Amino acid sequence: QMLNQGRKVWGIAVSDAHTVFGNGVGGWRTYIPSSTDEPQNIDWEEISRRAKAGQMMLTTGPFLEVETEDGTLPGGLARANDSIKVKVRVQCSSWIDINRVQVLLNGRQSSQHNYTRKTHPKWFNDGVIKFDQELSIQLSQDTHIIVIAYGENLDLKIGFGSSGQADNKPCAYHNPIFVDTNGDGFVPNGDTLGF
């Protein structure tokens, strides 16, 4: 709703602990891209810039990467006419799985872009890389795009044991990618999503 009203806000996941036992610390986390995966070389200024730009992915475990064909990352503004290609890649450790990838267009579920293991069995894999596709999305107006990777009827019990977070679903999503379809900048549609 806020994005559709023109408020540029970023989602961020946290996993706080209030007691020593039973919290499941680390259930939700936020990932931010870095130019290096060597911990001693990570530049906090780069991470800060990327966070302020909205280049974040939120997850209970699945690792989701989303970008447009021209390399626009979450938080960014892409330019397209009536369609855009979005690359979606989901990786999971051996104890996590997903069985659905859903695209939200201006905050609404797109039935055309609801991919499940049942409807698209060849698009889902059983290894580390669970999903790796380039999706072509038709657009009729300026649109913000969010992709969700989800494990319906799945849980995190193998990794979290008796923790309260064990019942959480494998889930990952990213901050929106804004798409300008007519060259005048991104114009929000004002949709309150029924509220």
Side-chain angles (χ1 to χ4, degrees):
Q1 292 171 306
M2 289 189 288
L3 294 169
N4 288 342
Q5 305 312 310
R7 295 174 182 243
K8 194 177 269 191
V9 295
W10 305 134
I12 186 167
V14 297
S15 54
D16 55 333
H18 299 277
T19 61
V20 175
F21 178 76
N23 264 294
V25 175
W28 276 96
R29 60 195 68 86
T30 301
Y31 284 100
I32 302 170
S34 172
S35 57
T36 179
D37 60 0
E38 294 291 334
Q40 69 273 15
N41 295 329
I42 292 175
D43 177 2
W44 70 267
E45 290 178 327
E46 174 195 7
I47 299 302
S48 178
R49 282 191 307 273
R50 288 180 177 271
K52 287 178 180 178
Q55 295 178 359
M56 295 176 278
M57 182 267 292
L58 297 69
T59 183
T60 61
F63 191 81
L64 169 66
E65 297 171 277
V66 179
E67 68 178 70
T68 64
E69 61 186 323
D70 68 355
T72 302
L73 296 174
L77 176 65
R79 174 73 174 91
N81 290 324
D82 55 359
S83 69
I84 191 166
K85 291 184 179 174
V86 177
K87 300 173 190 174
V88 178
R89 186 174 190 210
V90 184
Q91 300 176 70
C92 293
S93 62
S94 61
W95 56 277
I96 297 175
D97 198 5
I98 61 149
N99 51 24
R100 180 179 180 194
V101 170
Q102 171 74 66
V103 178
L104 302 181
L105 303 176
N106 286 328
R108 293 194 177 270
Q109 294 177 340
S110 168
S111 58
Q112 183 181 357
H113 299 291
N114 179 26
Y115 309 99
T116 68
R117 280 189 187 268
K118 186 175 181 180
T119 61
H120 294 77
K122 293 182 179 178
W123 286 22
F124 288 81
N125 303 302
D126 293 324
V128 171
I129 299 173
K130 301 293 184 179
F131 189 92
D132 192 5
Q133 296 293 322
E134 184 174 74
L135 309 176
S136 183
I137 300 172
Q138 298 298 313
L139 304 171
S140 61
Q141 63 180 345
D142 289 358
T143 304
H144 61 80
I145 297 171
I146 296 173
V147 178
I148 301 168
Y150 195 67
E152 292 182 307
N153 303 314
L154 301 173
D155 58 44
L156 301 173
K157 287 182 179 166
I158 293 175
F160 284 96
S162 63
S163 162
Q165 299 207 27
D167 290 329
N168 285 349
K169 305 292 183 205
C171 179
Y173 60 98
H174 61 88
N175 277 306
I177 296 173
F178 299 93
V179 184
D180 171 16
T181 59
N182 57 11
D184 65 349
F186 181 82
V187 178
N189 67 0
D191 185 2
T192 62
L193 302 177
F195 291 92

